[in-house]
């Protein structure tokens, strides 16, 4: 029986991908660089610090890693704070509330920074439902490296076979499978070409999941 569900955040719990895309495009313009969508799509699921490392490896950027990271946050939170249409992924909060009420342990394992996680959880009242929130900023390597999910399994207190991961990105699904955990791939219109084929199960609507289905997967 499954006893814990580990959620990714961006693109799974909340639809921040359009905000992140717009904010990043503004930052790239300010830096005088062009990042094609085919390169940008490979960043999805990576931590901010690893994205900055990739940018500095691909482009001639004079700013330091720390300066770029602060620029990235500045553009992101300006967009986040002013986004009146920012919403949770349809159906996900109902699933979160049901699983929590039924005694399923919920954990977040997101490549997002702690600042971003706190902002999302505070805005949408998600803090009471999750036992742990794990940020990619605490790990040297981003997804598809499995470290963040291995830590989530450890913090759940259950075995890998008692956990499920819900992911939307190619990197995140590869990370889940590398960790040896059953993975549900969420595919949406905002997925930007992300490959969900490696997932054990693929959904396009959270109404496809409930407590009874999850506990027996």
């Amino acid at each position: 029986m499954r006893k814990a569900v580990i959620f990714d955040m961006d693109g799974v719990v909340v639809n921040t991908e359009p905000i992140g895309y717009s904010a990043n495009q503004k930052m790239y313009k300010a830096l005088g660089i062009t990042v094609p969508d085919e390169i940008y799509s490979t960043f999805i699921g990576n931590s901010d610090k690893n994205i900055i490392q990739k940018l500095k490896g691909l482009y001639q950027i004079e700013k330091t890693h720390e300066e770029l990271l602060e620029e990235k946050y500045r553009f992101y939170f300006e967009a986040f704070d002013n986004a009146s249409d920012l919403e949770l992924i349809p159906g996900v909060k109902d699933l979160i509330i049901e699983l929590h009420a039924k005694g399923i342990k919920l954990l977040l394992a997101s490549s997002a920074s702690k600042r971003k996680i706190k902002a999302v959880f505070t805005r949408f009242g998600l803090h009471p439902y999750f036992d742990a929130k794990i940020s990619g900023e605490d790990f040297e390597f981003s997804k598809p490296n499995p470290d963040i999910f291995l830590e989530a399994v450890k913090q759940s207190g259950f075995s890998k076979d008692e956990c499920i991961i819900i992911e939307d990105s190619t990197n995140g699904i590869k990370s889940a499978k590398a960790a040896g955990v059953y993975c549900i791939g969420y595919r949406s219109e905002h997925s930007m070409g992300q490959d969900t084929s490696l997932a054990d199960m693929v959904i396009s609507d959270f109404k496809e999941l409930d407590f009874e289905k999850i506990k027996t997967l």
Side-chain angles (χ1 to χ4, degrees):
M1 177 178 167
R2 306 293 179 174
K3 298 179 179 177
V5 176
I6 302 164
F7 286 83
D8 176 44
M9 186 176 76
D10 297 316
V12 172
V13 172
V14 64
N15 186 25
T16 51
E17 302 293 2
I19 285 176
Y21 182 82
S22 174
N24 283 319
Q25 292 303 318
K26 288 179 180 178
M27 183 182 78
Y28 301 153
K29 184 176 181 180
L31 291 171
I33 63 174
T34 300
V35 179
D37 285 349
E38 57 266 28
I39 293 177
Y40 183 87
S41 66
T42 68
F43 296 164
I44 296 174
N46 284 188
S47 67
D48 289 327
K49 65 180 182 180
N50 278 306
I51 291 171
I52 294 303
Q53 288 171 350
K54 288 183 178 181
L55 282 174
K56 286 186 70 66
L58 290 168
Y59 302 94
Q60 294 291 330
I61 302 174
E62 293 184 2
K63 290 182 182 289
T64 66
H65 184 282
E66 292 75 17
E67 288 171 339
L68 275 177
L69 199 54
E70 284 306 311
E71 280 287 277
K72 187 172 175 63
Y73 289 147
R74 181 172 68 82
F75 280 101
Y76 178 86
F77 282 108
E78 180 179 339
F80 181 91
D81 292 340
N82 290 297
S84 59
D85 58 346
L86 180 63
E87 297 178 348
L88 295 178
I89 298 295
V92 74
K93 191 165 186 179
D94 289 338
L95 178 65
I96 287 169
I97 291 171
E98 180 192 10
L99 295 178
H100 180 264
K102 296 285 189 178
I104 296 289
K105 182 172 282 190
L106 304 182
L107 302 94
L108 186 85
S110 170
S111 296
S113 66
K114 293 173 185 175
R115 289 162 66 177
K116 288 183 179 179
I117 292 170
K118 182 179 179 181
V120 167
F121 270 57
T122 299
R123 182 165 179 161
F124 294 104
L126 297 174
H127 290 291
Y129 304 106
F130 284 77
D131 286 272
K133 298 181 283 289
I134 304 163
S135 166
E137 73 179 41
D138 290 332
F139 298 86
E140 182 178 358
F141 300 108
S142 278
K143 303 169 186 177
N145 183 282
D147 287 353
I148 190 170
F149 285 134
L150 292 172
E151 178 61 25
V153 170
K154 180 180 177 182
Q155 290 196 29
S156 78
F158 299 117
S159 69
K160 293 179 182 182
D161 290 339
E162 294 172 306
C163 297
I164 285 177
I165 292 167
I166 305 179
E167 261 286 358
D168 71 311
S169 71
T170 305
N171 287 324
I173 292 168
K174 286 181 177 179
S175 175
K177 298 314 297 174
V181 181
Y182 188 98
C183 181
I184 297 173
Y186 175 66
R187 184 171 53 214
S188 79
E189 60 184 297
H190 303 293
S191 295
M192 262 192 94
Q194 297 301 294
D195 181 8
T196 56
S197 64
L198 291 178
D200 297 286
M201 171 185 177
V202 178
I203 64 168
S204 57
D205 191 326
F206 275 98
K207 291 179 181 178
E208 298 174 53
L209 298 177
D210 58 21
F211 169 73
E212 292 297 330
K213 187 162 191 174
I214 281 179
K215 75 174 184 179
T216 57
L217 283 174

